[in-house]
């Protein structure tokens, strides 16, 4: 979503109230590893596709005299680490707005949380857009992307629809310069008509958070630096493949980048292993499809679920194949989706 498309809400006097919706994204060139944990600065650039399924809708209302934020998640009080991260994010927005008022935040999330399906990306993109509006911050799309990044790195990309590249930025200079340098922006994908078939082999929460897994990989994996270096070349190749609408090339680059990322984790000490036997069964079924002449390629995130990039026209066949490979697991078909946006009062 570009800045000019962002709709400012009608904010009644004394009761700032804004609702935003955002969708998850799946990286084709992965973000794995931070150079600054406080600012959520990544070690490498990444590139993703925003999906048209699993939206998160977040409403932020400023409370009149409350001492604490009130947070609900799918109708229940938010607790623990999730609540702590939302309050820390709101503190950042309050500091920028010069406004101390606490907020009531209601989040409706349709993504299976914590299963490597990037619920934090849609969550913090929606929160960034709604909170910025509720607190009266007038931010353009790049500034919203930077803000969303502070909640969860991958959220910086969900501010945009379609394909987006997230710049790692610079770590030299001041913290402000570093912060300003790292944001996402849209990427054109000429003539590509892709789908992502998502095979949920396990919808439960992951055992190791992506934050901890990244830290361990960067600190201990001998494969991390080589992967980070090759990821630079992958990104350049990916941009070229996207601009010529070459789906087999896009898929091959995405697959090697993702499997390389998982290799860095397997070499960490101790190893982080998100790939499960069920994931490998799905991977094998995709390889067989390819041998049968269907261009289909896998990518995986911080969890065992497998996403298969293919032509939109092949999506049903791919879905059928992975359903057969992972019986009992849900299979979803996603297409490129919209960027984060405010909802007007009439919805
Ligand atoms: O932003 P986080 O902490 O959800 O990290 C996401 C990391 C991956 O999903 C594995 C890769 C990516 O680029 O989205």
């Amino acid at each position: 979503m570009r800045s000019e498309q962002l709709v400012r809400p009608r904010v009644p006097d004394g009761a700032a109230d804004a609702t935003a919706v955002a969708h998850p994204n799946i990286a084709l060139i992965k973000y794995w590893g931070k150079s600054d944990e406080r600012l959520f600065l990544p070690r490498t650039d990444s590139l993703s596709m925003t999906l048209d399924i699993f939206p998160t809708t977040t409403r932020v209302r400023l409370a009149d005299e409350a001492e604490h934020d009130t947070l609900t998640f799918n109708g229940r009080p938010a607790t623990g680490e999730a609540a702590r991260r939302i309050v820390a994010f709101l503190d950042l927005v309050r500091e920028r707005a010069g406004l101390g008022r606490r907020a009531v935040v209601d989040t409706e999330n349709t993504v299976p949380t914590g299963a490597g399906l990037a619920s934090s990306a849609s969550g913090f993109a929606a929160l960034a857009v709604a909170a910025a509006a509720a607190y009266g911050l007038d931010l353009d799309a790049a500034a919203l992307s930077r803000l969303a990044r502070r909640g969860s790195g991958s959220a910086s990309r969900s501010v945009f629809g379609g394909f987006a590249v997230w710049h790692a930025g610079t770590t030299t200079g001041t913290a402000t310069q570093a912060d300003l340098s790292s944001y996402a922006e849209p990427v054109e994908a000429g003539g590509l008509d892709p789908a992502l078939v998502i095979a949920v082999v396990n919808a439960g929460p992951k055992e190791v958070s992506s934050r901890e897994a990244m830290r361990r990989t960067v600190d201990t994996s001998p494969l991390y630096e080589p992967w980070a270096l090759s990821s630079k070349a992958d990104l350049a190749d990916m941009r070229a493949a996207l601009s010529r609408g070459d789906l087999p090339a896009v898929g091959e680059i995405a697959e090697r980048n993702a499997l390389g990322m998982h290799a860095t984790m397997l070499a960490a000490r101790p190893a982080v292993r998100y790939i499960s036997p069920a994931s490998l069964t799905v991977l094998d079924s995709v390889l067989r499809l390819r041998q049968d002449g269907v261009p289909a390629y896998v990518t995986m995130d911080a969890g065992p679920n497998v996403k298969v990039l293919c032509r939109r026209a092949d999506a049903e066949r791919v879905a059928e194949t992975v359903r057969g490979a992972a019986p009992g697991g849900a299979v979803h078909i996603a297409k490129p989706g919209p960027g984060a946006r405010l909802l007007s009062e009439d919805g």
Side-chain angles (χ1 to χ4, degrees), residues 27 29-32 46 120 152-154 157 210 214 261 301-302:
I29 300 293
K30 301 296 184 188
Y31 148 53
W32 195 251
S46 55
S120 62
S152 174
S154 53
R157 300 182 309 231
S210 56
M214 280 184 202
M261 175 187 77
D301 295 289

Side-chain angles (χ1 to χ4, degrees), residues 155 171 217 306:
T171 46
T217 307
V306 182

Side-chain angles (χ1 to χ4, degrees), residues 25-34 40 45-48 85 116-121 124 149 151-157 166 206 209-212 214 227 257 261-262 265 274 299-303 307:
N25 68 76
I26 299 297
L28 303 179
I29 300 293
K30 301 296 184 188
Y31 148 53
W32 195 251
K34 294 182 179 65
F40 287 82
D45 297 346
S46 55
L47 187 149
S48 62
R85 284 176 69 177
L117 289 182
S119 59
S120 62
F124 279 103
R149 189 196 82 224
S152 174
S154 53
S156 64
R157 300 182 309 231
W166 172 23
K206 52 188 168 244
S209 70
S210 56
R211 180 179 300 209
E212 162 58 21
M214 280 184 202
W227 173 78
N257 189 268
M261 175 187 77
H262 284 274
M265 297 182 217
Y274 290 123
T299 185
M300 292 181 63
D301 295 289
K307 296 96 183 185

Side-chain angles (χ1 to χ4, degrees), residues 1-8 96 125 128-130 132-133 136-149 155-156 158-160 179-180 182-186 340-342:
M1 157 131 303
R2 293 164 201 272
S3 56
E4 59 272 20
Q5 292 172 281
L6 288 167
V7 189
R8 302 234 10 117
R96 299 235 175 127
V129 172
L137 293 176
D138 198 5
L139 303 181
D140 65 14
L144 281 169
S145 172
R146 276 188 214 107
L147 179 63
R149 189 196 82 224
S156 64
S158 272
V159 168
F160 301 97
D179 180 36
L180 285 174
S182 184
Y183 56 90
E185 60 185 355
R341 65 183 191 281
L342 284 171

